[in-house]
Amino acid sequence: MLVGCGSGVERRDNVDIEQYSAKQIFERGEFELERGKPGEAAYYFSEIERLYPYSDIAKRGLIMQAYAYHRAEDYENSRSAAQRYIDFYPADEDAAYAQYLLALSYYDRIDEVGRDQELTFKALQALRTVIERYPDSEYARSAILKFDLAFDHLAGKEMEVGRYYLKRQHYAAAINRFRTVVEDFQTTSHTAEALHRLVESYLSLGLTDEAQTAGAILGHNFRSTEWYQASFKLLTGQGLTPEARGNNWLSRIYRQTIKGEWL
């Protein structure tokens, strides 16, 4: 046995692995996983792919390779192995898991990227593939939850930049960010604040029609929130009320909310 004391492969760097069967190498990979060495496990699983490329156990080794690399936080190699599995075995029962691992290779790095949201967009695309291609798989529900969190993350980044501009009185730039949240991320947890920040920004620019309309949308959809209370106070403090006025992008959204077509 490869995992036996003194009777098999004990270290990968002092053994000719080619003398062992695919089953023995696979078992060594499992052993390395069990003892908390996923990087070592990935090596053994990858050797099965190299030495026995057309065997059934090579297929199992490939999906385990993707999993082990992910456990080791080697996301590039995990994604590469998962993609090979999808390419070689698209109809296999583990293809859904391979796609899910591929999505996780982006998703689990979202917090590392600061203001660069490229990985978040890639995570969303890969998670959407899990949801749409494998809707009945056990991974679809988890993918939906992670998709919503990643989507919320993108909206949060827009809000962060918008607040930065608002604080420095760059109102036009701030409005563009908050508008993106209201138009493209309406289902996230940031919409109410985005509407309030629009009230603030438009009032600062003297654009009262837009400010009142943003307040009306806020009141229609989020009346019980602190953001509506804050906007109501700002508007009434200037003798204004939350109501749809004018013919602008916010008034069009207001008409949609009244018809029940939004939120």
Side-chain angles (χ1 to χ4, degrees):
M1 294 293 291
L2 271 73
V3 299
C5 180
S7 60
V9 179
E10 294 188 8
R11 289 185 59 81
R12 75 183 199 196
D13 56 355
N14 59 8
V15 69
D16 181 8
I17 198 171
E18 295 187 14
Q19 65 182 294
Y20 296 100
S21 69
K23 182 175 183 294
Q24 287 176 314
I25 301 171
F26 189 91
E27 289 174 347
R28 181 54 188 257
E30 290 183 312
F31 172 72
E32 295 296 346
L33 277 177
E34 289 175 3
R35 71 183 189 129
K37 293 187 176 294
E40 290 291 304
Y43 164 77
Y44 287 106
F45 292 131
S46 68
E47 285 296 282
I48 299 172
E49 184 184 14
R50 180 178 70 86
L51 296 171
Y52 305 93
Y54 303 110
S55 64
D56 287 339
I57 202 168
K59 181 171 67 172
R60 292 171 55 203
L62 183 54
I63 193 68
M64 290 301 294
Q65 183 186 154
Y67 168 72
Y69 275 129
H70 189 82
R71 281 270 305 272
E73 299 183 0
D74 185 346
Y75 298 116
E76 294 293 334
N77 279 320
S78 176
R79 181 162 57 249
S80 177
Q83 186 62 63
R84 288 199 304 280
Y85 194 96
I86 295 166
D87 292 341
F88 296 157
Y89 315 107
D92 191 81
E93 61 181 356
D94 282 328
Y97 182 54
Q99 180 63 45
Y100 183 66
L101 281 173
L102 191 153
L104 289 183
S105 73
Y106 294 119
Y107 179 84
D108 286 351
R109 294 182 59 199
I110 285 176
D111 289 339
E112 299 177 14
V113 298
R115 297 189 188 280
D116 180 3
Q117 295 304 296
E118 181 182 1
L119 287 180
T120 307
F121 282 111
K122 288 182 177 180
L124 287 169
Q125 292 170 347
L127 289 165
R128 184 186 293 276
T129 299
V130 176
I131 297 164
E132 294 179 350
R133 188 177 297 172
Y134 310 101
D136 299 323
S137 73
E138 60 184 296
Y139 309 106
R141 182 173 182 180
S142 178
I144 291 171
L145 293 174
K146 286 180 169 56
F147 185 95
D148 289 342
L149 289 171
F151 200 61
D152 200 82
H153 180 86
L154 280 180
K157 285 298 179 181
E158 291 293 324
M159 291 300 300
E160 180 181 333
V161 177
R163 291 188 210 99
Y164 173 86
Y165 286 133
L166 181 60
K167 185 176 181 180
R168 286 155 182 77
Q169 300 181 359
H170 301 320
Y171 300 118
I175 286 169
N176 286 336
R177 298 292 181 162
F178 301 138
R179 177 173 179 170
T180 295
V181 174
V182 171
E183 290 188 319
D184 298 336
F185 299 96
Q186 313 113 1
T187 58
T188 69
S189 62
H190 301 281
T191 307
E193 183 188 354
L195 286 164
H196 169 65
R197 301 303 181 189
L198 285 168
V199 172
E200 287 185 312
S201 300
Y202 280 126
L203 284 178
S204 297
L205 291 173
L207 299 174
T208 57
D209 284 357
E210 287 83 351
Q212 288 178 267
T213 306
I217 298 170
L218 187 53
H220 184 76
N221 293 282
F222 307 101
R223 181 172 291 271
S224 62
T225 66
E226 61 179 310
W227 303 114
Y228 175 69
Q229 300 302 320
S231 287
F232 184 84
K233 184 176 180 180
L234 280 176
L235 289 167
T236 56
Q238 296 191 26
L240 303 170
T241 57
E243 60 177 306
R245 295 180 62 86
N247 185 24
N248 50 67
W249 71 274
L250 281 163
S251 63
R252 290 191 294 273
I253 288 179
Y254 180 80
R255 288 192 293 271
Q256 290 176 329
T257 66
I258 296 300
K259 293 177 182 178
E261 298 174 358
W262 183 71
L263 290 180

